[in-house]
């Protein structure tokens, strides 16, 4: 099946630093989604991307849909303690519809005060 | 207000004792999904309902079943839970749209098997 390679697996940063993570795939995706999950909770949608090359911001978060449709990145600027959590990329294959999401393995963000 | 609601948040069952997890939605979405998420792993799709049509993933064990009596509710039944079934179970919904299919997740039910 399709797989998403998400990196880095974990990040230890200082408060105020910028963060960058990315996902790559061997196949094309029609939609890229970025979720954040906190301990004991379900994933919460951060940003949705629908077009190749699309760059979308949500507050301090910025994500881009790669031109090749096989990759995406998420940046967080000026990190704060509440940014701690696991960030997942997720993709929908070409055609979309009711397909289940393919998730990356997640990036665990840890912020040191 | 929560739009995808899962009950209970925590469930403890005994090895081999059937258990049912519940999901409801106020979004009137066509599609409801069940994912299994084990510790430090990504969610893994078990199956989904597109309206009343059930779609099982090829590698989902027969031990896992689902029911969707109406648009708003969907249940996950584990017929004979094993120790390996201990996990977080996530319900998600989406409105079928070829162009923009965003899935909204509930808070999950954490299942423990003793």
């Amino acid at each position: 099946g399709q797989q998403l390679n998400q990196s880095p697996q974990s990040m230890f940063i200082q408060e105020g630093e910028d963060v960058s993570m990315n996902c790559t795939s061997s196949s094309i995706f029609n939609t890229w989604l970025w979720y954040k999950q906190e301990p004991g909770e379900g994933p919460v949608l951060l940003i949705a991307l629908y077009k190749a090359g699309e760059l979308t911001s949500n507050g301090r978060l910025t994500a881009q849909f790669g031109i090749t449709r096989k990759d995406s990145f998420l940046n967080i600027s000026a990190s704060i303690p509440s940014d701690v959590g696991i960030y997942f990329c997720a993709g929908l294959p070409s055609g979309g519809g009711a397909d289940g999401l393919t998730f990356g393995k997640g990036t665990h963000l840890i912020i040191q005060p | 207000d929560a739009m995808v609601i899962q009950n209970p948040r925590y469930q403890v069952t005994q090895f081999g004792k059937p258990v049912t997890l519940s999901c409801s939605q106020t979004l009137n979405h066509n599609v409801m999904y069940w994912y299994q998420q084990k510790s430090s792993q990504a969610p893994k799709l078990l199956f989904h309902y597109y309206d009343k049509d059930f779609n099982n993933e090829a590698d989902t064990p027969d031990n896992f079943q689902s029911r969707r009596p109406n648009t708003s509710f969907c249940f996950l039944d584990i017929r004979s839970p094993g120790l390996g079934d201990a996990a977080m179970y996530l319900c998600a919904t989406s409105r079928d749209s070829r162009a923009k299919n965003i899935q909204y997740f509930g808070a999950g039910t954490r299942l423990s098997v003793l």
Side-chain angles (χ1 to χ4, degrees), chain B residues 83-103:
Chain B
L83 298 179
D85 296 329
M88 173 78 95
Y89 289 88
L90 296 166
C91 173
T93 74
S94 72
R95 183 188 307 280
D96 174 34
S97 167
R98 293 283 155 178
K100 298 181 178 182
N101 183 4
I102 295 176
Q103 294 186 20

Side-chain angles (χ1 to χ4, degrees), chain A residues 16-68:
Chain A
E17 288 185 22
D18 296 342
V19 171
S20 184
M21 60 191 78
N22 70 84
C23 273
T24 60
S25 170
S26 57
S27 53
I28 290 173
F29 283 93
N30 203 38
T31 300
W32 284 93
L33 305 172
W34 284 93
Y35 288 89
K36 178 188 178 186
Q37 187 175 25
E38 297 185 12
E41 300 293 330
V44 174
L45 183 68
L46 299 174
I47 291 179
L49 301 161
Y50 304 110
K51 296 181 182 177
E54 180 181 357
L55 184 71
T56 297
S57 292
N58 178 7
R60 293 178 295 106
L61 278 61
T62 301
Q64 186 161 28
F65 193 144
I67 290 291
T68 64

Side-chain angles (χ1 to χ4, degrees), chain B residues 5-8 20-24 34 73-76 91 109:
Chain B
I5 302 162
Q6 291 190 241
N7 284 305
T20 295
L21 309 182
S22 167
C23 178
S24 63
W34 281 103
F73 285 87
C74 195
F75 300 99
L76 170 62
C91 173
T109 295

Side-chain angles (χ1 to χ4, degrees), chain B residues 4-73:
Chain B
V4 183
I5 302 162
Q6 291 190 241
N7 284 305
R9 292 294 312 277
Y10 302 91
Q11 176 74 55
V12 180
T13 190
Q14 293 178 336
F15 183 94
K17 184 175 181 181
V19 67
T20 295
L21 309 182
S22 167
C23 178
S24 63
Q25 54 136 338
T26 60
L27 299 164
N28 203 34
H29 279 172
N30 304 86
V31 193
M32 295 187 77
Y33 307 81
W34 281 103
Y35 290 83
Q36 179 192 64
Q37 185 179 28
K38 296 192 174 180
S39 182
S40 301
Q41 296 184 19
K44 179 180 180 299
L45 182 66
L46 295 173
F47 28 57
H48 74 270
Y49 269 96
Y50 189 130
D51 293 328
K52 294 184 179 181
D53 294 332
F54 179 69
N55 298 273
N56 200 27
E57 292 298 297
D59 57 354
T60 298
D62 292 341
N63 196 26
F64 292 87
Q65 303 286 323
S66 186
R67 295 171 284 134
R68 189 178 186 186
N70 54 54
T71 300
S72 300
F73 285 87

